[in-house]
Every structure is written in structure tokens, then in C-alpha cells.
Amino acid sequence: MSEFHLIFTKLVIGVLVFGAVFSLLFGGKGVRDQIPHDDRRFKDPLPGALKPVWPVVRFFSFYLGQFVSVDRLEKTSTSLKRAGVDYIMSPEQFFGLQCSAALLVCVLTGYALFMSIGFDVTITAVALVIGYFLPAISLREKRKAREKDIVKMLPIYLDFFTMAVQAGMNLSGAMTQAIEKGPG
């Protein structure tokens, strides 16, 4: 078999596998209809990178989110609040995001391996685990950046607060003034 035929065969098999996974996730109308509508009126808009995968996130959060322990959901909720993304997604949706990322990284890695050196279960399994932890790593980085910004802005707000108190305002008025007139 020529090199072209081998590459073409791998490409066709990869497209068929992707189509099968896509059909399993989105093909069942009954499965899709059971997932409740995502009411985002009181939530922040989704970042651009999340929009294409959000239906898969909702699928996993609805069907698998109920199996996550309450302790883990509370820890995730705290992490989401500290990172400032608690108005973007719920803890169940974050778990769905982790499952979606694991599946996406696993499929892409498996496909890349299949196209280059041949499919390897070990590397694909490692990619699955890495994909699962990528959203948690990203959340931790967001939290660190937010905490750094808060620490950086704190002296400025304290200066505004001190000036308002020295000008004769009470504590409540000084706080309101510092928030309104302070930076960002």
C-alpha cells in the first residue's frame, strides 16, 4: 500500500471516529431534550473559547454532575468564587467542563497519534487525565491573577478611603466614595 493510501485511510478513519463521537453526543434528540435550557440572563457571558463546547459541557454536567460529592461541589464553588468566575458557571458545569476537556484532549491526542506513529493507549490515557485537570489549572491561574490585582489595588483604595474619612465622611460614606471614585 502506498504512503498516500495509508494517510488517506487514517484520515477517513479519523473522520469516521469523530463523526461517531459527535453523533453519540448530539444525535439523540431525546437525550438532548432532557437537558434543561441554560438560563444565562443573570450570568456573565461565556468566554469565546467556551461557546463551541458549551453544549457538551451541559451534557456532562446534567448527566454526570449529579454523581459529584457535595464536598467537592462546595470546594469547587469556593474556587470559582475566588477566581471570579462564579457568575459564568456552576460547580456542576465546571465538572462538565473538566469531562469535556478530558474527552476533547483524549480524542485529539488519539487522532494525532493515529495519524503519525500509530494509536497508543497509554499516551491517550495520559492525555485523558491531563485534559481533565486543564480547567482546574486554568482556574487556579485565574485565581492567582485576580488575587494579585486585588493586592495591587488595595493601597490605592485605602488612600481614597483615608482621604474621604479625613474630609469628614463617616465610614459608610467613605467606603462608598472610595468605590465610586477609585480606579477600575
Side-chain angles (χ1 to χ4, degrees):
M1 190 182 263
S2 71
E3 183 71 26
F4 173 75
H5 286 93
L6 185 63
I7 292 173
F8 182 74
T9 304
K10 288 181 178 183
L11 182 64
V12 168
I13 290 173
V15 169
L16 290 175
V17 168
F18 178 76
V21 170
F22 186 80
S23 296
L24 285 174
L25 290 177
F26 297 106
K29 184 172 173 18
V31 171
R32 195 175 44 211
D33 290 343
Q34 287 180 357
I35 300 173
H37 176 68
D38 190 21
D39 186 15
R40 300 203 56 85
R41 285 182 292 175
F42 304 109
K43 293 186 175 185
D44 291 342
L46 289 172
L50 279 182
K51 286 180 183 178
V53 296
W54 197 248
V56 181
V57 170
R58 287 182 45 228
F59 173 84
F60 283 123
S61 68
F62 180 72
Y63 286 107
L64 299 179
Q66 60 192 341
F67 299 113
V68 181
S69 70
V70 175
D71 291 339
R72 176 144 182 233
L73 289 176
E74 288 177 4
K75 287 179 183 176
T76 303
S77 177
T78 302
S79 296
L80 290 171
K81 286 177 186 173
R82 289 181 72 192
V85 295
D86 55 326
Y87 285 105
I88 293 177
M89 69 183 77
S90 68
E92 292 88 356
Q93 289 171 332
F94 185 76
F95 177 72
L97 178 64
Q98 287 183 299
C99 293
S100 301
L103 179 68
L104 181 66
V105 170
C106 180
V107 167
L108 291 176
T109 302
Y111 181 70
L113 284 171
F114 183 74
M115 292 298 290
S116 60
I117 62 172
F119 186 76
D120 186 5
V121 175
T122 307
I123 296 174
T124 308
V126 168
L128 182 78
V129 172
I130 290 172
Y132 181 80
F133 287 108
L134 279 177
I137 293 168
S138 175
L139 186 68
R140 187 176 62 225
E141 294 302 317
K142 259 189 190 308
R143 178 187 53 85
K144 286 180 181 179
R146 184 173 189 230
E147 288 174 353
K148 184 178 177 183
D149 287 344
I150 289 172
V151 168
K152 187 171 96 175
M153 298 301 267
L154 188 61
I156 297 168
Y157 278 104
L158 287 175
D159 286 342
F160 274 78
F161 182 72
T162 304
M163 286 188 289
V165 169
Q166 287 175 348
M169 296 183 123
N170 63 8
L171 291 178
S172 177
M175 242 186 242
T176 304
Q177 188 74 13
I179 291 171
E180 287 177 1
K181 303 294 183 185

